[in-house]
Amino acid sequence: MSADYCCGHPLSVTDADGISQVCDPASLPISEALVDGLAAWKQRFDLTLDHQYPPDSGFASPDDEYEFYADGLVLAAALAVELLDSHAVEYHDERYPVRQRELRLLADGAVAVDGGRAVLPTHWADLADDPDRRAALLAQFEHERAAGHVLEGKDLVLLARCTRCDDVLFRIQDGGGYAVVHLTRSSSREPSAEFPWTERHDDGVALLADVGERHR
């Protein structure tokens, strides 16, 4: 998925031989709302083209550019969730150097936890079959959690851990949604309610966008 002035759609599909072709989102098994969202996102990019002098093309401000690519990441995450059983999704972000533009949200063998409702990149490990690790990480969180923490008193289920850092993923049973928590590995309780640092998400799409961007 990428935005390009030369293409009519923001998607291309690569076949087994490595040949890519522009793809109409409406031809994929995705929701109508996502098809419309992708079209609107592409149209926003097209409006930045200066037809009289193309080298002057671009966003009106850095904030507009940031918002555009942030919205694109959420759309790419939604695409990855809806195509989980058939496609891997790569998101190209022009704000980054060439070698870092491709963000592979879901590769073959991507972890799908909690009945498929939360979908994670492959560097996350599902803890469903590892009760000992799950119990140890939950105990570490409770040991670190400061009084007044955003998850204090919440009914939590530990779903997965990141294999690249000390992030863990909880499902919030009461109130719904998910929480990504960065464990501090402190030997004592944190003095500030801000720690362990926590990011809450209402659904799997927002969750995937967050964890994908975090480990670009």
Side-chain angles (χ1 to χ4, degrees):
M1 174 179 163
S2 64
D4 193 309
Y5 296 126
C6 301
C7 299
H9 300 289
L11 302 182
S12 61
V13 175
T14 303
D15 63 21
D17 296 322
I19 299 175
S20 296
Q21 292 185 331
V22 175
C23 174
D24 182 348
S27 68
L28 296 172
I30 60 177
S31 64
E32 184 176 346
L34 183 52
V35 171
D36 292 343
L38 289 166
W41 185 74
K42 175 63 166 64
Q43 185 177 43
R44 283 168 61 189
F45 186 76
D46 289 344
L47 290 174
T48 68
L49 175 62
D50 186 326
H51 292 275
Q52 293 184 338
Y53 188 63
D56 281 346
S57 299
F59 292 89
S61 70
D63 286 345
D64 286 348
E65 182 180 36
Y66 176 86
E67 183 177 355
F68 174 79
Y69 284 109
D71 290 346
L73 178 58
V74 173
L75 286 168
L79 188 66
V81 170
E82 293 196 19
L83 295 177
L84 176 63
D85 295 328
S86 59
H87 295 75
V89 174
E90 290 183 356
Y91 178 52
H92 298 244
D93 187 333
E94 296 298 322
R95 294 174 299 166
Y96 293 88
V98 174
R99 292 184 180 179
Q100 298 179 355
R101 284 179 186 167
E102 296 182 5
L103 172 60
R104 195 170 181 84
L105 288 172
L106 292 177
D108 294 339
V111 177
V113 299
D114 190 26
R117 291 194 294 115
V119 187
L120 303 172
T122 51
H123 57 269
W124 282 76
D126 190 342
L127 295 174
D129 297 324
D130 193 349
D132 292 340
R133 175 64 66 88
R134 194 166 63 242
L137 290 172
L138 180 59
Q140 179 66 31
F141 167 70
E142 292 296 345
H143 171 73
E144 297 175 7
R145 180 182 54 77
H149 187 270
V150 66
L151 296 181
E152 183 177 25
K154 294 294 184 181
D155 183 10
L156 304 172
V157 175
L158 185 57
L159 298 176
R161 67 177 182 87
C162 179
T163 61
R164 297 181 182 175
C165 70
D166 289 321
D167 287 351
V168 294
L169 171 66
F170 290 103
R171 184 178 70 243
I172 305 172
Q173 297 284 73
D174 47 342
Y178 303 91
V180 179
V181 176
H182 183 74
L183 299 177
T184 64
R185 299 296 180 181
S186 173
S187 59
S188 59
R189 187 174 297 277
E190 293 292 339
S192 170
E194 295 182 5
F195 299 102
W197 179 89
T198 299
E199 187 78 22
R200 294 185 62 171
H201 300 291
D202 293 332
D203 55 43
V205 170
L207 173 66
L208 178 56
D210 175 33
V211 298
E213 174 74 4
R214 190 174 303 180
H215 292 295
R216 178 183 290 274

